[in-house]
Amino acid sequence: MAVDLVGGGTFRVAFQMLFDAVIAVKKETTMFKSMLGDIKSTLDSLQPVIKEREKYDSKEGLENFAMQMEEGVKLVYKCSKVGVWSWCRKYRYTRKLDELDKCLQRLVEVLKVQGIRDVKETLVSLRNIETVLHRIEGNLVMQNQPEKINGWSSVPEPPPVTVGLDVPLKELKIKLLKDDVSMLVLTAAGGCGKTTLAKKFCQDQEVKGSESLLEKFDEFKMTNYKVLVTSRIAFPRFGSPYHLEFLNDEDAMALFHHSAFLEDKSSYAREDLSRKIIKLCKGFPLAITAVGRSLRGQPIEIWRKRVMEWSKGSSILASNNDLLACLKSSIDALDKEKPTLKECFLDLCSFPKDQRISAATLIDMWAELYGLDEPSLSIANLYELTTQSLANLIATRNEREADGYYTERFVTQPDMLRELAIHQASQDPIGQRKRLIIDIRGDNLPNWLTEAKHQPMQARLLSISTDGAFSKKWPNMQLPKAEVLVLNFETNSYDLPEFVTKMDKLKVLIVTNFSFLPAELNNFQLLGSSSNLKRIRLERISIPSISKNIKQLESVQKISLFMCSIGQAFGKGSINILDALPNLGEMDIDCCHELVELPVEVCDLIHLKKLSITNCHNLSALPEKIGKLLSLEVLRLRSCTDLLELPSSIRNLKKLNFLDISFCFSITQLPEHIGEICSLKKLNMRQCSRLQDLPASVLDLEQLKDVICDEETELLWEPFLPFLKNIHIKVVKEDNNLNWLHKLRS
């Protein structure tokens, strides 16, 4: 039976997943068949109630139950794995299934009783705007010297033509008109239409039909009121904000037609150019409006010229002062108050547009550029940029236990804000810029690059992006002060520029291949002359291609490999790995799906303090010699789902204080002598679902303080808890975040 469910995306997915899980497991199991039948009946009765609710386009309250349904899916599938003789688990899961059924029954009753919420208690007109403005640090919906009516501020009219705001208006009303919500922050970057949406909200007939404004206000001493704040800053302390999204293509085209004053039946040529302009503006309302006005009444040749210039990389901001001023005001305040945060914002333009940026990459860069040695400091800056609508920090999994490892966090940035960063970074003469951003299409090198090849540049950060058609050899460049080199490319093979041999202050190298398969990286031996190089990050690179001619990199302290092809790379080099990397203290290997066995040569890196191997789903074994890593303090093996066991030699890691085996579904037992890891303080073993029991030696883990579990692995510790007085068991419920998929697409 297929469920034809209408409704919110998150709720729809959760409902369908739970329905499918119940059907599937009910067929397989006999132990819980009766209870699963009851749950299916409840789900059957829930469907028509939801459909009736959705007739009124109301999704309020559904999200609250979506999370419980997602937990229900996990519970149902866990029931399918319970053995006949597992009486303890049978009792526990029987109780939980009963709780799930009761939760679903409550949902049925809530939706029947609640119906459509009355929206009469609405207030959107405010007195003494300046006082409230300072109090909440935002912009209220009434401003620009509104007309006074009997001492009260009247609501300004929205523009005569608005597009793309019908859905946000409905969502805004649902969010703000809840009984327990008195204030809502409407946030987005400058020029996205926050104030326009607020004006439409104020003029909405449902909103205007609330009780008298005079009865609601008495010098702000009231108990029942609604405040809508528009601000580029999200102000998290005022609750969850409403984020205004960019326009879709249809609405963007409607706004452009209005701004450019195009007739409905404009020429095919103008329509084709309009589509290209819309694509360049990326749904940014103010940019669409500004470009449309600038082209209004212009001949078709001017249109073609502008589109050609913008398509070749010229900035839309450079041709429109109003648009530039609006966006620039977002970062002007950072100059004095938070100069480092502004530098971090400008650094985001070092990466190609429409690409997500790994937070781990930025952590490496900012540690050397701004002394942010603790990764959490860089993440805090990214949160602040997100709060101020200057970037989007996305977590593919909501990690409630921050352990300083952020491979599952990414940053995206709207194209207009990226153009703003590039524009601001380009204000100084080329030779004097702090960051030099070079974006090359084909073999078209900028003229200044060939003309200035013998002149030293003062940049601390150099970013070079090339596409799949690039084939030229790099001209000689002098960058005596460059500390960070970012190389972005899309070819199957890439040569490191020879000028890296003269980058005496180079500390961080970021090499990212944006093509589909790992690329060959040539000239890697040139880095042998980089005496200050501390951090290397490689993405989608064939590691055997660099290990053949690797030279000693004495100063390198950290290497990160993301989606790289590793194979038997480290065993075929011109020198052994310890001689090549004598001071390596940290190695991160993430999403290297071809990695089946960790090369044994890694165990020769005796100075390694942190080894993280994460999301390598085909990794099935670690070398027994891993016990040679006597300096190791942190070992992360998160989400290595095929890893069968930990080597017994792990008992030799006397300095190891943190072990992470979370989401290692295939591990069935821990090493018998794990208790000999005498410095172990923290153990993360969430979702080790096949782990049957714990060895008795865990009683010898006298330094162990924190154990992070799920509800199943918690049971394994119960027999030992009377003897482990100082241990703290933390049970974490899984909360996988799927919103990042939408955000990355947008």
Side-chain angles (χ1 to χ4, degrees):
M1 174 183 174
V3 178
D4 180 20
L5 180 64
V6 292
T10 301
F11 185 81
R12 180 192 305 148
V13 171
F15 185 98
Q16 188 68 56
M17 288 175 62
L18 180 57
F19 191 93
D20 293 344
V22 170
I23 295 295
V25 176
K26 184 173 179 290
K27 291 179 180 178
E28 297 176 2
T29 184
T30 57
M31 190 178 301
F32 302 103
K33 187 178 291 290
S34 175
M35 297 204 68
L36 291 173
D38 293 340
I39 292 175
K40 180 182 179 299
S41 298
T42 305
L43 291 173
D44 289 338
S45 63
L46 178 60
Q47 182 187 356
V49 180
I50 297 174
K51 285 186 176 181
E52 184 67 23
R53 180 80 180 273
E54 290 298 323
K55 288 180 180 179
Y56 300 95
D57 199 25
S58 176
K59 304 172 188 175
E60 179 186 353
L62 299 184
E63 295 82 357
N64 298 330
F65 288 92
M67 185 176 299
Q68 298 181 41
M69 287 188 177
E70 291 171 358
E71 293 295 326
V73 174
K74 299 172 187 175
L75 171 64
V76 170
Y77 280 119
K78 285 178 181 178
C79 290
S80 67
K81 301 177 183 178
V82 177
V84 177
W85 304 107
S86 301
W87 300 109
C88 179
R89 291 187 176 181
K90 179 182 178 181
Y91 170 76
R92 184 169 187 167
Y93 287 149
T94 298
R95 179 166 49 83
K96 287 185 172 294
L97 286 174
D98 183 59
E99 292 174 356
L100 174 62
D101 191 31
K102 290 179 179 177
C103 172
L104 295 172
Q105 291 175 13
R106 285 197 302 272
L107 175 58
V108 175
E109 295 303 317
V110 166
L111 294 183
K112 284 181 178 179
V113 173
Q114 194 175 34
I116 304 301
R117 184 177 302 280
D118 184 83
V119 294
K120 293 182 178 180
E121 298 297 328
T122 305
L123 180 67
V124 291
S125 185
L126 301 173
R127 189 182 184 185
N128 297 331
I129 293 175
E130 293 79 12
T131 304
V132 179
L133 176 63
H134 290 295
R135 186 179 304 170
I136 62 177
E137 305 170 32
N139 296 318
L140 295 177
V141 297
M142 268 73 73
Q143 51 189 337
N144 300 326
Q145 298 180 344
E147 180 184 355
K148 300 289 183 176
I149 302 179
N150 295 329
W152 295 88
S153 298
S154 65
V155 178
E157 292 285 341
V161 176
T162 61
V163 296
L165 296 180
D166 291 342
V167 172
L169 178 59
K170 291 179 181 179
E171 295 175 344
L172 197 62
K173 288 194 292 183
I174 291 173
K175 200 171 181 72
L176 183 57
L177 298 180
K178 292 180 180 178
D179 288 340
D180 59 345
V181 175
S182 59
M183 178 179 292
L184 177 66
V185 177
L186 168 60
T187 185
C192 286
K194 299 182 297 297
T195 303
T196 301
L197 177 57
K199 292 176 181 178
K200 282 182 69 68
F201 177 87
C202 294
Q203 297 294 343
D204 185 87
Q205 290 304 311
E206 285 184 298
V207 173
K208 293 178 73 173
S210 59
E211 297 180 10
S212 170
L213 297 180
L214 296 177
E215 294 175 358
K216 294 293 183 180
F217 271 87
D218 182 17
E219 296 297 327
F220 296 101
K221 297 177 182 178
M222 64 285 188
T223 59
N224 188 9
Y225 65 97
K226 302 290 182 181
V227 178
L228 177 62
V229 182
T230 65
S231 175
R232 299 176 188 182
I233 302 175
F235 299 126
R237 64 183 178 275
F238 293 115
S240 177
Y242 180 83
H243 293 275
L244 181 59
E245 302 291 341
F246 296 114
L247 299 178
N248 59 35
D249 289 346
E250 181 181 355
D251 292 330
M253 183 63 77
L255 179 60
F256 180 75
H257 270 239
H258 172 72
S259 302
F261 206 65
L262 291 178
E263 298 178 357
D264 292 337
K265 296 182 179 180
S266 57
S267 68
Y268 172 80
R270 289 192 192 271
E271 281 299 296
D272 182 57
L273 291 170
S274 297
R275 283 190 289 271
K276 293 179 179 179
I277 291 171
I278 293 304
K279 185 176 181 180
L280 290 167
C281 290
K282 295 291 183 180
F284 203 88
L286 185 58
I288 296 169
T289 302
V291 171
R293 288 174 178 171
S294 70
L295 294 175
R296 180 185 298 178
Q298 296 288 348
I300 190 70
E301 290 79 10
I302 296 295
W303 284 50
R304 290 195 179 108
K305 179 183 177 183
R306 296 279 177 83
V307 171
M308 186 179 300
E309 290 173 346
W310 293 330
S311 299
K312 289 183 177 180
S314 296
S315 174
I316 292 178
L317 297 180
S319 58
N320 193 285
N321 292 332
D322 291 339
L323 176 59
L324 174 61
C326 175
L327 294 179
K328 187 173 177 295
S329 63
S330 300
I331 62 173
D332 282 344
L334 300 179
D335 280 323
K336 293 182 179 179
E337 298 176 6
K338 300 175 181 178
T340 299
L341 190 63
K342 180 179 179 180
E343 296 298 320
C344 291
F345 166 76
L346 296 177
D347 287 340
L348 297 182
C349 70
S350 305
F351 303 90
K353 66 178 181 179
D354 300 327
Q355 297 288 348
R356 65 182 190 177
I357 307 168
S358 169
T361 299
L362 299 170
I363 288 171
D364 285 340
M365 290 171 51
W366 295 343
E368 302 302 331
L369 287 175
Y370 312 121
L372 303 180
D373 294 327
E374 286 294 324
S376 60
L377 297 177
S378 294
I379 296 297
N381 279 356
L382 290 173
Y383 273 121
E384 196 159 357
L385 289 174
T386 300
T387 298
Q388 301 203 26
S389 301
L390 294 173
N392 298 313
L393 179 61
I394 301 164
T396 58
R397 177 184 286 141
N398 288 335
E399 287 295 334
R400 301 178 185 180
E401 281 294 314
D403 61 7
Y405 192 64
Y406 298 100
T407 60
E408 292 167 335
R409 304 206 181 181
F410 300 89
V411 181
T412 61
Q413 188 179 41
D415 282 355
M416 282 297 152
L417 292 177
R418 181 178 181 273
E419 285 201 27
L420 174 65
I422 292 175
H423 182 274
Q424 292 301 105
S426 305
Q427 293 306 294
D428 294 323
I430 291 173
Q432 303 300 318
R433 294 175 186 173
K434 289 192 291 185
R435 55 185 60 77
L436 195 56
I437 311 299
I438 306 175
D439 190 357
I440 298 175
R441 305 186 183 192
D443 286 331
N444 301 313
L445 299 179
N447 293 332
W448 65 261
L449 183 58
T450 56
E451 295 170 356
K453 59 183 178 180
H454 298 301
Q455 299 178 9
M457 307 284 184
Q458 303 303 309
R460 295 184 66 196
L461 184 155
L462 171 63
S463 170
I464 302 175
S465 300
T466 56
D467 59 17
F470 180 76
S471 62
K472 277 195 173 183
K473 185 177 180 181
W474 280 104
N476 185 26
M477 296 178 65
Q478 296 186 43
L479 296 143
K481 296 185 178 181
E483 299 175 52
V484 176
L485 175 59
V486 179
L487 300 173
N488 308 302
F489 64 94
E490 300 178 27
T491 51
N492 295 328
S493 179
Y494 189 83
D495 294 343
L496 282 182
E498 293 187 3
F499 58 73
V500 297
T501 59
K502 298 179 180 179
M503 298 176 69
D504 297 333
K505 292 189 176 182
L506 183 63
K507 297 179 181 178
V508 181
L509 173 65
I510 309 292
V511 182
T512 304
N513 164 30
F514 286 100
S515 63
F516 185 70
L517 297 174
E520 301 278 324
L521 184 61
N522 307 314
N523 288 350
F524 201 75
Q525 69 276 8
L526 298 178
L527 296 176
S529 60
S530 302
S531 59
N532 291 303
L533 184 59
K534 296 181 181 180
R535 300 167 183 257
I536 298 176
R537 180 177 175 86
L538 307 176
E539 297 194 17
R540 294 185 186 85
I541 300 297
S542 171
I543 303 305
S545 70
I546 67 174
S547 63
K548 292 182 295 186
N549 300 308
I550 193 170
K551 300 295 183 182
Q552 187 179 62
L553 300 172
E554 186 174 358
S555 59
V556 173
Q557 300 172 8
K558 179 182 177 182
I559 285 183
S560 302
L561 308 177
F562 178 76
M563 297 188 74
C564 290
S565 173
I566 296 179
Q568 299 300 317
F570 301 111
K572 300 180 180 179
S574 55
I575 59 176
N576 67 57
I577 191 171
L578 182 59
D579 290 337
L581 301 164
N583 294 302
L584 190 68
E586 184 173 355
M587 175 178 277
D588 297 342
I589 302 175
D590 186 45
C591 293
C592 295
H593 302 306
E594 296 181 6
L595 183 65
V596 178
E597 294 185 7
L598 184 69
V600 68
E601 291 79 13
V602 173
C603 301
D604 294 331
L605 295 169
I606 58 175
H607 301 298
L608 208 60
K609 293 184 177 181
K610 295 181 181 180
L611 176 59
S612 300
I613 308 172
T614 55
N615 299 298
C616 296
H617 301 301
N618 292 316
L619 178 69
S620 60
L622 297 176
E624 184 63 33
K625 291 185 178 181
I626 200 169
K628 293 172 57 179
L629 299 176
L630 300 181
S631 299
L632 203 63
E633 299 174 2
V634 174
L635 177 59
R636 292 187 184 91
L637 302 168
R638 182 191 303 168
S639 296
C640 293
T641 54
D642 279 359
L643 184 63
L644 298 175
E645 62 181 1
L646 299 178
S648 60
S649 66
I650 198 175
R651 65 198 289 188
N652 299 327
L653 305 181
K654 307 301 184 184
K655 294 184 178 181
L656 191 70
N657 60 63
F658 178 38
L659 175 62
D660 184 354
I661 56 172
S662 58
F663 300 93
C664 290
F665 302 129
S666 299
I667 292 180
T668 57
Q669 61 183 7
L670 297 181
E672 181 181 356
H673 300 288
I674 194 172
E676 295 183 24
I677 308 177
C678 55
S679 297
L680 191 64
K681 296 180 179 179
K682 185 175 182 179
L683 173 62
N684 190 338
M685 51 187 297
R686 292 159 53 199
Q687 295 299 315
C688 292
S689 54
R690 295 188 183 178
L691 198 60
Q692 298 299 316
D693 51 32
L694 300 178
S697 66
V698 297
L699 292 172
D700 298 326
L701 296 172
E702 297 179 356
Q703 299 296 318
L704 187 60
K705 304 296 182 186
D706 298 303
V707 177
I708 305 167
C709 299
D710 54 65
E711 292 178 333
E712 283 196 41
T713 51
E714 178 195 18
L715 294 174
L716 303 177
W717 286 92
E718 289 185 354
F720 302 95
L721 292 182
F723 309 99
L724 296 170
K725 300 297 184 182
N726 297 323
I727 197 172
H728 172 65
I729 304 291
K730 181 173 183 178
V731 178
V732 178
K733 292 186 177 181
E734 300 310 316
D735 184 18
N736 291 328
N737 177 13
L738 299 180
N739 293 331
W740 65 278
L741 292 170
H742 166 71
K743 291 182 179 179
L744 288 181
R745 285 196 298 268
S746 61

